[in-house]
Amino acid sequence: MDNQKKIALIAGRDNWHTRDFPEEGIPVVTMSDGPHGLRVEKKAGIGFPQSVPAVAWPVLSALGCSFDTELIHEIGTALAEECIAEGVDVLLAPGINHKRNPLCGRNFEYFSEDPVVSGELGSAYVNGLQENGIGASLKHYAANSREEGRLVTDSIVEERTLHEIYLRAFDTVIHKAKPWTMMMAYNMLNGIYCCENEFLMNHARKEGFDGVFVSDWGGVSDPAASLIHGLNLIMPGNHHADAKVQEALEKGILSQDKLDESVRCISDLAKKVSHHSPKPYDIQKHLDLALKAAEESIVLLKNDGVLPVKKEQSFLLVGNLLKMSNHGGNGSSKVEAISVDHVTDIFDKRKINYAFYSGKSIEKTIRLAKEKDIVIIGAGYYENEESEGYDRKNMRLSSHQNRLIRELCNNHDHVIVVIQTGSPVEMPWKEDAEGILYMNLTGCRGGSALTNILFGMTCPSARLAETFPQKLEDVPSYAHFSDNPHQMEYREGIFTGYRYYDTFDIPVNYGFGHGLSYTHFSYSDLKTGDYSVSFTLKNDGDYDARNTVCLYIGFKDSSITRAAKELKAFQSVYLKKGEEKRIVFNLDESMFQYYDIQKHDWMIEEGMYQLMIGGAVNEIFLQTEMYHEGIQNPYSSIQKEFYEFSEGKLHIEKASFEKMLGRQIPQFKNNIDADSSLKDLELHTFRFLAKVLSKKKELLPGVRLSTIQETPLRQILMADQKITWETIDGMVELLNGMPVKGIKKVLKSLKSSRL
Ligand code: GLC
């Protein structure tokens, strides 16, 4: 295979295909989004054009609350069948990024605030796909925690935090499922773009990853540097990377070996994927599984006796979300659902005695409510409020929804609130509502699943995989999430999610792992065995039900700063009423390890560990201790005294964070280059250009203006085949005050690319 073909192979052919060289035995690889169901575009286009109708699965944020690895494995298998039916070889999923802040626009696409949950469920998802011949693309590697400025933001993370929180789930999936591809994130990590971050890619290789590192779409800032540092495949195609790669090869800065390694990875993938001939799948079987998944994902947060409701009662359903369920989020994971069960449709089908009202007028709502036994109000976000490409500005429901819920609760004794969002919201009416269900975004069967839970046909079993804080200011990353468009300082370190709230006793609305049931489980007879713990779980209530049991481990007397406890393992168990089962957690060393930044490796500190059996992190039923051998006096740069509080809010000085980092935070240099965005240009003399462009409303259909303003110059490569890297270079020269040189280069590049 000559170098011309090799250079062609490392960049895609178009948005969704690699290049194929049949004469070299390298078939094409067809890729498609997404994690919640197939988004196969009817025709390629900018933004997110219309896609082929598909089964809309619950979003990963919902599935994370199931804690059910077997269920997720079944969904992976079903998705593989759907891929085969559509001729897709690699599904661009799952996204397993850590949920650092509830405002992140893509939180609905990620499993959890805990790396064990994300790693175990991510592994099950990948295995389900790949055991059926469809490749996964584990994403977005790594520390992709914000949508604002996502293509140019530098995630600044201290080493122990990086390993224990942000890489841990990726490591687990590499160990347990060996994904065939990993998608490199748009952002920088500690100053280097992920697509050219040798540390990141070498780390994954050391953990055993032997697949293809593929860029996120348009995520490459420097094609040659990316290939040199380990990236294998640049997507999408028409990126004209070949000229830059060719030049680097000829100059010897890209070695032949490196190029050949990428070619080998891509050709291995091309041969590995099943290339099944498309065959239909059993839609009803998938819809039934989607129902089971939705039922296992809906969390019962509060029940003062109103649930389950009875068919002979009368109901007022309030809110358009009960008439038009919000089954998923916006962006590349969006699915054109082949069908959606809306709650009112299901109530109709089951001939339940109800009335519906949008809730537009509060007075009218209260008047209607007085005629009914139970009020069920659907509250949440509408389609474009949670999306890839931008973050939420607050954690509140709309003021109308909050007012409506409060007024209803003041005027009716039996109000059930159903929350349809993919991430936590504030609940000022929490004490007033008699029942609260977190429905999340539960795909095409959500309406049936909710109805089954409301009427007790299914017993709720889900647990929160992400904490519901009382207010946004309580979130540990609050002060350092959207304070800087170019850098994001992870100053909270390992104290993220429940690791923060539980350790620093910060009150929350509902904690990690919280989830009620209609039945009751008892936990007894805890024993430690040979590197294991076991106990008896009994369903001593009135419903057959599933229950997730959790093993948390703490180390009170540690000589380094640690979270009070951490989830180390969980099991989802189904018990009929009256049934009991002996549960065994086999231990392994990884459960006792911390990441040592002097040894740059995982170590175990010697001492007495606390082993806790619980549900929620603040709901420990059984506890014991176990002494573990290990090293003495370990070191960590994270010190508890760095964590100060002023007016109830966490505050970490920049100097303290730099001590954690072991280096100074680099000053962002706003040079004009291919990574400059319209916003950056506004700070320069090209204010007029940026203002003119950013004032135009719908520059791209369906793409928010802020997203365009934050997009780097190089992204216009994706807009038109005729634009090449040379065009970009010419524009940069022009913007840097060399108009003649720049315009000549732009014109020459456009002329040559037309040829
Ligand atoms: C998007 C997303 C990624 C998706 C890809 C293809 O920008 O970041 O998750 O798979 O591009 O649509």
Side-chain angles (χ1 to χ4, degrees):
M1 192 173 183
D2 64 35
N3 275 341
Q4 193 183 1
K5 286 183 182 176
K6 290 179 181 176
I7 288 170
L9 186 65
I10 53 93
R13 185 186 77 198
D14 54 34
N15 276 8
W16 306 112
H17 302 90
T18 60
R19 286 198 174 102
D20 60 325
F21 293 95
E23 71 282 7
E24 307 286 350
I26 301 177
V28 70
V29 175
T30 303
M31 293 177 258
S32 169
D33 289 318
H36 311 143
L38 260 67
R39 185 179 72 83
V40 176
E41 292 177 354
K42 286 180 173 164
K43 59 183 180 51
I46 300 174
F48 303 109
Q50 182 84 19
S51 58
V52 171
V55 174
W57 297 90
V59 300
L60 296 196
S61 168
L63 294 175
C65 297
S66 75
F67 286 77
D68 187 346
T69 44
E70 282 173 32
L71 168 73
I72 307 300
H73 186 274
E74 283 181 80
I75 292 173
T77 302
L79 281 164
E81 292 173 355
E82 294 170 13
C83 285
I84 290 166
E86 293 292 346
V88 171
D89 303 315
V90 172
L91 186 65
L92 302 173
I96 62 165
N97 289 96
H98 175 79
K99 299 187 190 208
R100 176 174 181 251
N101 187 297
L103 300 185
C104 174
R106 293 184 89 168
N107 257 8
F108 70 92
E109 284 194 54
Y110 305 143
F111 284 117
S112 178
E113 69 184 31
D114 180 85
V116 168
V117 176
S118 303
E120 294 302 324
L121 300 188
S123 300
Y125 187 108
V126 170
N127 280 324
L129 276 175
Q130 296 185 161
E131 287 163 11
N132 293 282
I134 299 297
S137 195
L138 191 63
K139 67 187 187 179
H140 308 88
Y141 187 53
N144 186 193
S145 311
R146 182 180 83 185
E147 288 305 290
E148 182 194 349
R150 62 177 176 156
L151 282 100
V152 293
T153 296
D154 185 7
S155 293
I156 301 172
V157 195
E158 172 274 330
E159 188 180 359
R160 179 180 165 205
T161 303
L162 179 62
H163 285 275
E164 291 191 8
I165 305 292
Y166 294 91
L167 299 184
R168 195 72 190 257
F170 289 95
D171 293 352
T172 303
V173 180
I174 290 169
H175 300 155
K176 296 196 167 186
K178 284 185 102 54
W180 295 353
T181 78
M182 287 178 75
M183 187 187 292
M184 303 310 289
Y186 281 128
N187 53 281
M188 283 185 250
L189 173 66
N190 292 328
I192 300 173
Y193 278 106
C194 290
C195 285
E196 51 194 85
N197 196 305
E198 194 156 335
F199 157 77
L200 263 185
M201 290 185 268
N202 285 351
H203 171 78
R205 294 290 185 207
K206 273 205 312 275
E207 294 300 321
F209 177 66
D210 61 0
V212 174
F213 286 118
V214 57
S215 72
D216 197 338
W217 269 231
V220 165
S221 163
D222 178 335
S226 300
L227 264 287
I228 289 165
H229 295 301
L231 189 78
N232 305 127
L233 177 60
I234 296 173
M235 288 304 287
N238 67 49
H239 217 62
H240 302 287
D242 29 4
K244 292 273 188 179
V245 174
Q246 174 82 35
E247 185 187 346
L249 190 65
E250 283 163 1
K251 287 182 180 167
I253 50 175
L254 167 66
S255 71
Q256 187 67 48
D257 288 353
K258 267 293 174 191
L259 177 62
D260 291 349
E261 181 192 328
S262 288
V263 168
R264 181 187 55 71
C265 290
I266 297 168
S267 48
D268 286 355
L269 173 68
K271 292 164 191 160
K272 195 188 293 187
V273 293
S274 61
H275 295 293
H276 282 301
S277 48
K279 66 174 190 269
Y281 61 91
D282 179 343
I283 291 187
Q284 192 51 52
K285 188 177 128 211
H286 287 211
L287 291 174
D288 294 344
L289 181 59
L291 171 60
K292 176 172 184 267
E295 289 174 334
E296 287 199 36
S297 304
I298 295 174
V299 189
L300 177 56
L301 295 177
K302 181 181 181 186
N303 181 17
D304 287 353
V306 65
L307 285 157
V309 296
K310 298 172 185 57
K311 203 162 177 218
E312 52 273 18
Q313 291 171 307
S314 60
F315 301 90
L316 176 66
L317 299 186
V318 180
N320 290 327
L321 284 172
L322 296 182
K323 204 173 187 67
M324 288 299 288
S325 302
N326 186 11
H327 63 76
N330 203 29
S332 62
S333 69
K334 184 179 170 132
V335 178
E336 293 295 330
I338 48 173
S339 64
V340 181
D341 293 359
H342 301 296
V343 177
T344 49
D345 298 344
I346 304 302
F347 270 51
D348 287 335
K349 265 190 206 153
R350 298 187 188 177
K351 302 193 180 359
I352 295 165
N353 168 9
Y354 82 99
F356 171 81
Y357 178 57
S358 66
K360 191 160 182 282
S361 150
I362 293 181
E363 291 66 31
K364 179 174 179 182
T365 310
I366 291 168
R367 200 170 55 250
L368 292 171
K370 289 193 184 317
E371 299 158 17
K372 301 295 181 187
D373 299 324
I374 308 277
V375 181
I376 300 171
I377 175 165
Y381 297 135
Y382 287 84
E383 194 177 322
N384 293 341
E385 291 182 75
E386 278 184 293
S387 172
E388 173 178 348
Y390 48 88
D391 305 304
R392 289 185 293 157
K393 293 299 175 206
N394 62 63
M395 246 175 54
R396 295 189 295 274
L397 294 170
S398 70
S399 52
H400 177 74
Q401 288 185 55
N402 279 326
R403 215 170 46 250
L404 179 59
I405 293 170
R406 188 179 307 109
E407 287 308 311
L408 271 173
C409 293
N410 291 341
N411 291 277
H412 199 289
D413 292 339
H414 305 300
V415 175
I416 298 166
V417 182
V418 177
I419 299 167
Q420 289 191 35
T421 60
S423 39
V425 291
E426 293 172 6
M427 304 174 180
W429 34 262
K430 169 178 171 267
E431 299 313 321
D432 310 325
E434 199 184 13
I436 306 173
L437 284 153
Y438 177 43
M439 182 173 174
N440 210 305
L441 307 175
T442 29
C444 61
R445 303 302 309 275
S448 297
L450 178 74
T451 307
N452 290 348
I453 284 177
L454 285 169
F455 288 87
M457 296 159 70
T458 301
C459 185
S461 59
R463 293 183 179 276
L464 290 180
E466 181 180 12
T467 304
F468 269 56
Q470 284 181 347
K471 56 188 187 306
L472 182 59
E473 293 75 9
D474 294 343
V475 175
S477 58
Y478 169 72
H480 301 285
F481 178 70
S482 56
D483 55 320
N484 178 333
H486 286 95
Q487 292 171 317
M488 195 153 61
E489 298 173 22
Y490 290 52
R491 294 196 189 182
E492 75 283 356
I494 57 172
F495 292 107
T496 173
Y498 74 82
R499 286 170 169 79
Y500 168 67
Y501 305 111
D502 178 49
T503 305
F504 290 92
D505 294 324
I506 307 294
V508 297
N509 274 339
Y510 296 104
F512 175 83
H514 175 78
L516 303 179
S517 174
Y518 294 152
T519 190
H520 177 270
F521 288 95
S522 55
Y523 302 70
S524 61
D525 192 17
L526 179 65
K527 286 191 173 61
T528 50
D530 177 19
Y531 222 40
S532 67
V533 287
S534 63
F535 67 97
T536 298
L537 179 71
K538 185 173 184 201
N539 177 352
D540 41 27
D542 304 328
Y543 286 83
D544 299 346
R546 180 170 294 280
N547 180 28
T548 294
V549 292
C550 299
L551 169 65
Y552 296 95
I553 295 185
F555 187 179
K556 278 202 296 266
D557 305 330
S558 171
S559 51
I560 58 170
T561 298
R562 292 172 188 255
K565 61 174 90 73
E566 294 180 305
L567 178 73
K568 295 299 179 184
F570 58 86
Q571 291 184 33
S572 173
V573 186
Y574 186 82
L575 292 180
K576 291 188 177 311
K577 58 187 176 195
E579 192 182 358
E580 68 176 49
K581 184 177 180 185
R582 190 78 188 154
I583 309 293
V584 181
F585 280 113
N586 292 312
L587 304 175
D588 70 56
E589 291 205 339
S590 71
M591 297 177 177
F592 298 88
Q593 289 172 336
Y594 73 95
Y595 192 82
D596 188 300
I597 64 169
Q598 285 179 328
K599 297 176 174 60
H600 303 293
D601 200 352
W602 293 95
M603 305 302 290
I604 295 177
E605 179 187 4
E606 179 153 352
M608 186 64 81
Y609 289 78
Q610 293 74 48
L611 279 63
M612 296 158 264
I613 299 296
V617 68
N618 55 355
E619 189 188 36
I620 300 304
F621 301 109
L622 302 167
Q623 173 154 348
T624 184
E625 292 202 320
M626 179 180 281
Y627 192 82
H628 206 292
E629 301 294 322
I631 65 168
Q632 312 280 346
N633 307 319
Y635 171 74
S636 166
S637 59
I638 296 175
Q639 307 298 330
K640 206 153 189 183
E641 57 268 20
F642 292 159
Y643 294 76
E644 299 157 338
F645 286 84
S646 55
E647 294 138 39
K649 281 194 298 246
L650 175 64
H651 175 72
I652 298 159
E653 288 290 338
K654 180 170 182 171
S656 300
F657 184 53
E658 290 180 331
K659 280 188 195 137
M660 280 194 222
L661 278 175
R663 60 185 166 86
Q664 293 219 307
I665 296 166
Q667 188 64 35
F668 171 71
K669 297 184 188 62
N670 192 10
N671 306 327
I672 295 186
D673 54 28
D675 296 327
S676 299
S677 68
L678 278 176
K679 258 186 186 167
D680 299 327
L681 297 181
E682 277 183 31
L683 306 175
H684 285 272
T685 49
F686 296 95
R687 209 180 295 277
F688 72 93
L689 168 77
K691 283 222 179 305
V692 161
L693 282 176
S694 55
K695 281 291 165 286
K696 285 184 71 173
K697 276 295 157 238
E698 281 282 294
L699 279 176
L700 282 178
V703 183
R704 199 171 270 203
L705 199 52
S706 60
T707 305
I708 293 170
Q709 289 168 319
E710 294 154 7
T711 297
L713 205 53
R714 56 181 157 84
Q715 219 51 10
I716 60 173
L717 274 162
M718 290 173 66
D720 186 312
Q721 286 262 10
K722 290 194 286 298
I723 297 170
T724 69
W725 280 96
E726 202 186 2
T727 319
I728 305 294
D729 292 345
M731 292 176 74
V732 170
E733 284 169 348
L734 183 147
L735 293 167
N736 273 306
M738 296 174 276
V740 175
K741 194 177 170 200
I743 290 172
K744 268 174 71 178
K745 187 170 274 187
V746 169
L747 295 176
K748 177 171 164 279
S749 72
L750 292 175
K751 200 164 72 185
S752 57
S753 71
R754 242 198 310 278
L755 298 179

